[in-house]
C-alpha cells in the first residue's frame, strides 16, 4: 500500500509540474513577444529563441521524458529495493520539477514586457537559485525517506495486547482516499498558477479564479485522510494532513470496540456519513474500527482495526478495574 501511495504522489506531482511548465508562458502571453528568448550566451545576452507555443511545449516534453525514465526505473527497482526505490524516485522528481519550473519562470520573467526577444534580460542568477532549491529539496526528501524506511524496518511486530505494569502502549493507523487527494491537488494547482504568475509580475491577482479553487483544494485536503490514535487516554481521530479537526473519546466513555467490514453502499457514500449503523468516516471500503461510546457507534475506515480494537478494549478493562 505504501508503494501505491508513493506512485500516486509522484503522479500528482508530475501532473502539477506539467501544468506549471505549460501554463506559465500561456498565462503571461499578453505581456510576451511573439518569440521568446530561450538561450543565453556566456556574457548574458540572448542568442536563441522559440515561438511562444514551443517555449511552453519544450520544457513540458523534457519533463515528460524525465518522468517516463524515473517511472520505468522505479517499477523495475521497487520489487528489489522497496523503500529505496521510492526514495530516489520521489527525490529525483522533486528536484527535477523544482529546477524546471524555476527555469521556466526565469525565462518567462526575462521576456516580460520586451518588444523583441533579443531585448530579454539575463537569467543566470535565477537559474542558480532554482538549482540550489532543487538540490536542497531533493536531498532533504531523500534523507527523510531513508530515515522513514529505517524506522519502519525496526518497528516491533506482534499483537502486543498484553499491557505490562508500568508500560504504555499506543496504536496508530491512518487511511486516505487517493481520488480526493487528486481533486485537492488539481484544484490547488489551478489556483497556484495565477498566483505564481502574479508574484512574478506577469499578471494581476484574479481572485475570482483563485478563491473557489483554493477553497475546494483545502476542503478536499481535509477530507482526504484520517488518522486514529489509541492510548491510555482513549481514542483520538484526526482529519487531514494537519490533524484538524479532531474528535476524542475518553477511555471511561468507551463501552466496547470491534473491527467490522463496511462498504460505502452500507453507510451512504464516502466521507463523514450518518446512517442506521451510526457515524462512519468512510475513505475506503473494508475493515473499520468501530467504537461504542455513550450508547452510539462511531466507525472509521483504517488499517489494522482488529488490533486497535483489542488494545482499546484492554485499556478500557484496565481503567474500569
Amino acid at each position: 500500500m505504501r508503494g501505491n501511495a508513493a506512485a500516486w504522489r509522484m503522479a500528482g506531482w508530475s501532473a502539477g509540474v506539467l501544468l506549471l511548465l505549460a501554463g506559465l508562458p500561456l498565462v503571461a502571453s499578453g505581456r510576451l513577444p511573439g518569440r521568446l528568448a530561450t538561450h543565453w550566451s556566456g556574457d548574458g545576452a540572448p542568442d536563441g529563441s522559440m515561438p511562444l507555443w514551443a517555449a511552453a511545449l519544450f520544457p513540458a516534453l523534457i519533463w515528460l521524458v524525465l518522468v517516463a525514465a524515473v517511472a520505468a526505473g522505479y517499477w523495475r527497482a521497487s520489487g528489489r529495493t522497496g523503500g529505496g526505490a521510492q526514495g530516489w524516485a520521489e527525490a529525483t522528481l522533486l528536484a527535477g520539477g523544482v529546477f524546471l519550473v524555476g527555469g521556466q519562470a526565469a525565462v518567462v520573467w526575462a521576456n516580460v514586457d520586451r518588444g523583441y526577444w533579443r531585448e530579454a534580460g539575463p537569467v543566470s542568477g535565477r537559474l542558480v537559485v532554482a538549482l540550489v532549491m532543487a538540490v536542497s529539496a531533493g536531498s532533504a526528501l531523500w534523507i527523510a525517506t531513508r530515515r522513514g524506511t529505517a524506522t519502519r524496518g525496526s518497528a516491533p511486530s506482534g499483537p502486543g495486547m498484553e499491557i505490562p505494569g508500568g508500560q504504555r502502549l499506543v496504536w496508530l493507523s491512518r487511511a486516505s482516499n487517493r481520488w480526493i487527494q487528486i481533486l485537492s491537488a488539481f484544484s490547488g494547482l489551478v489556483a497556484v498558477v495565477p498566483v505564481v504568475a502574479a508574484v512574478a509580475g506577469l499578471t494581476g491577482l484574479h481572485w475570482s479564479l483563485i478563491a473557489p479553487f483554493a477553497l475546494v483544494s483545502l476542503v478536499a485536503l481535509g477530507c482526504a485522510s484520517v488518522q486514529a490514535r489509541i492510548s491510555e487516554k482513549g481514542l483520538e481521530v484526526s482529519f487531514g494532513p494537519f490533524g484538524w479537526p479532531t474528535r476524542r473519546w475518553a477511555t471511561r466513555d468507551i463501552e466496547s470496540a470491534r473491527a467490522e467490514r463496511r462498504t460505502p453502499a452500507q453507510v451512504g457514500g464516502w466521507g463523514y456519513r450518518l446512517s442506521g449503523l451510526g457515524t462512519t468516516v468512510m475513505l475506503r471500503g473494508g475493515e473499520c474500527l468501530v467504537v461504542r461510546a455513550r450508547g452510539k457507534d462511531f466507525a472509521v475506515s483504517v488499517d489494522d482495526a482488529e488490533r486497535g480494537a483489542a488494545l482499546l478494549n484492554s485499556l478500557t478493562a484496565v481503567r474500569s478495574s
Side-chain angles (χ1 to χ4, degrees):
M1 292 185 66
R2 290 193 186 100
N4 290 338
W8 281 103
R9 283 197 303 271
M10 288 186 282
W13 172 253
S14 300
V17 171
L18 184 66
L19 179 62
L20 286 172
L21 290 174
L24 281 174
L26 300 179
V27 169
S29 59
R31 298 178 59 185
L32 297 173
R35 296 183 67 87
L36 272 63
T38 54
H39 191 271
W40 282 257
S41 61
D43 60 0
D47 60 0
S49 67
M50 288 183 180
L52 177 63
W53 65 267
L57 180 63
F58 186 66
L61 291 176
I62 294 176
W63 175 244
L64 288 176
V65 171
L66 175 62
V67 170
V70 170
Y74 171 73
W75 290 118
R76 283 199 303 268
S78 59
R80 301 190 301 270
T81 60
Q86 172 188 332
W88 71 256
E90 290 191 282
T92 300
L93 289 181
L94 178 61
V98 169
F99 180 70
L100 284 175
V101 170
Q104 182 74 310
V107 169
V108 172
W109 183 89
N111 285 273
V112 166
D113 296 332
R114 310 287 180 170
Y116 184 49
W117 67 267
R118 287 193 178 275
E119 300 172 357
V123 296
S124 56
R126 289 176 174 80
L127 289 179
V128 170
V129 172
L131 179 60
V132 171
M133 291 177 62
V135 173
S136 300
S139 300
L141 180 59
W142 168 251
I143 292 171
T145 303
R146 295 301 294 171
R147 287 178 178 173
T149 301
T151 301
R152 289 192 298 266
S154 61
S157 59
M161 290 301 102
E162 293 185 3
I163 307 177
Q167 295 190 20
R168 299 177 179 178
L169 298 181
V170 176
W171 174 87
L172 292 170
S173 187
R174 61 181 292 113
S176 60
N177 186 302
R178 65 172 65 101
W179 297 110
I180 302 178
Q181 289 174 332
I182 291 173
L183 172 63
S184 175
F186 178 78
S187 301
L189 287 168
V190 173
V192 164
V193 170
V195 172
V196 172
V199 171
L202 307 180
T203 64
L205 279 172
H206 300 288
W207 290 109
S208 60
L209 173 64
I210 297 170
F213 284 100
L215 179 61
V216 170
S217 179
L218 290 174
V219 172
L221 184 64
C223 298
S225 61
V226 63
Q227 176 175 284
R229 182 180 189 272
I230 294 174
S231 68
E232 61 181 5
K233 295 181 180 179
L235 172 64
E236 180 179 286
V237 177
S238 53
F239 300 84
F242 306 111
W244 186 88
T246 300
R247 288 199 63 180
R248 296 180 176 88
W249 293 261
T251 307
R252 62 178 178 273
D253 297 326
I254 297 175
E255 301 169 21
S256 64
R258 66 185 187 276
E260 183 176 292
R261 295 189 64 84
R262 294 187 179 183
T263 66
Q266 288 178 303
V267 301
W270 304 97
Y272 199 95
R273 314 301 299 180
L274 300 176
S275 67
L277 296 175
T279 302
T280 304
V281 180
M282 177 58 65
L283 293 184
R284 55 109 181 97
E287 191 178 38
C288 296
L289 172 65
V290 185
V291 175
R292 187 163 187 82
R294 299 176 184 143
K296 298 180 180 179
D297 281 355
F298 176 90
V300 56
S301 56
V302 290
D303 297 332
D304 198 28
E306 185 172 356
R307 186 177 302 180
L311 175 58
L312 189 54
N313 285 330
S314 298
L315 291 170
T316 302
V318 169
R319 177 60 63 88
S320 61
S321 61

